[in-house]
Amino acid sequence: VIKLFNNGEPGDKKPFYSRKKVDLLVKSKLRNSSVCFPEMIATTASGKVVGYVMPKVKGITLHKLLMSAKASINKAFPGATKKEMVQLCIAIITAVKYLHDRNIIIGDLQWDNIIVESPTKISIIDTDSFQLNEFTCPVRKVAFTAPERQNQAYGTYMRKLSDDLFALATIIFLIMIPGKFPYDMRGGDDVQQNIINGDFSYANGEN
């Protein structure tokens, strides 16, 4: 399949994507069944770059899977238990580790960029937003962003391993307590402010 680039609106100073970064990913020839790496640049007949070719994947986003909690999970995975949810966590962790072992920071690690086919088969998409070498990640979602990054303009700083680990911990929490964000609390501020304040209603004692 082809992912089409968002080239922005007329007057934008730069496109949403980095052609050089995608070229680098294509030339790396990295292949993993759980990561949808670009396989080649897609162009029009006139040579204009419009996107890239990526593997076709099956399944639904983790967001959709968890959105209606158990009803959605049981529909996708009939008879699913905590065991299957743990398997799903392990599958995601394994894919993230594969990338980290190759010095790739995902940056925009969140539930809309993970496609779930089964508890043991997932695919990470939107790989053109990865942080690679000097190329930053230009996007993020607030609920998956570490507190020290909340007020920083995304795309202007280099992410660290800890940024991905915060997002990964949030994803695991969402899976094990379906649809519940760790910093979402009744009577509190919005999720962003709760993250900044460290307002975690599931804290254990003084920890």
Side-chain angles (χ1 to χ4, degrees):
V1 296
I2 295 177
K3 176 182 176 179
L4 297 176
F5 286 135
N6 172 11
N7 286 304
E9 297 298 326
D12 282 355
K13 292 182 179 180
K14 59 181 180 180
F16 183 74
Y17 70 96
S18 167
R19 165 67 189 271
K20 290 183 179 179
K21 185 202 296 186
V22 176
D23 277 338
L24 191 59
L25 285 167
V26 170
K27 292 175 182 177
S28 73
K29 297 190 182 299
L30 289 172
R31 296 291 182 268
N32 184 284
S33 60
S34 295
V35 184
C36 291
F37 287 111
E39 296 179 340
M40 64 182 294
I41 297 292
T43 64
T44 63
S46 63
K48 179 183 177 182
V49 174
V50 294
Y52 61 84
V53 177
M54 57 176 270
K56 184 177 181 179
V57 298
K58 295 187 295 183
I60 60 175
T61 65
L62 182 62
H63 185 173
K64 186 175 181 179
L65 176 67
L66 300 176
M67 189 168 53
S68 54
K70 290 185 177 180
S72 181
I73 293 172
N74 288 334
K75 184 177 180 180
F77 309 138
T81 64
K82 284 291 184 183
K83 177 183 176 181
E84 281 72 34
M85 296 301 98
V86 171
Q87 289 176 331
L88 179 56
C89 290
I90 292 172
I92 295 170
I93 292 168
T94 300
V96 172
K97 183 180 185 300
Y98 172 86
L99 293 166
H100 288 173
D101 286 347
R102 287 154 183 79
N103 297 317
I104 296 174
I105 301 294
I106 299 171
D108 189 29
L109 179 57
Q110 43 98 355
W111 61 356
D112 285 315
N113 287 342
I114 298 173
I115 305 297
V116 182
E117 180 178 346
S118 75
T120 58
K121 172 61 178 171
I122 65 99
S123 300
I124 296 177
I125 61 172
D126 282 354
T127 54
D128 55 297
S129 67
F130 285 174
Q131 177 176 290
L132 182 64
N133 296 349
E134 73 274 23
F135 301 107
T136 62
C137 172
V139 287
R140 71 176 182 193
K141 280 205 170 180
V142 167
F144 300 87
T145 301
E148 64 272 18
R149 301 295 196 188
Q150 287 292 339
N151 292 319
Q152 292 185 339
Y154 50 85
T156 62
Y157 60 88
M158 299 300 291
R159 315 282 175 108
K160 297 181 179 179
L161 189 66
S162 58
D163 292 301
D164 272 4
L165 296 182
F166 180 91
L168 181 60
T170 300
I171 287 168
I172 293 171
F173 190 97
L174 281 163
I175 293 171
M176 299 310 297
I177 306 180
K180 295 288 186 181
F181 279 94
Y183 291 92
D184 192 8
M185 56 190 295
R186 292 181 180 178
D189 293 313
D190 60 29
V191 172
Q192 181 178 30
Q193 196 58 49
N194 287 340
I195 292 174
I196 293 171
N197 295 341
D199 290 337
F200 180 66
S201 59
Y202 299 87
N204 180 16
E206 296 182 356
N207 297 323

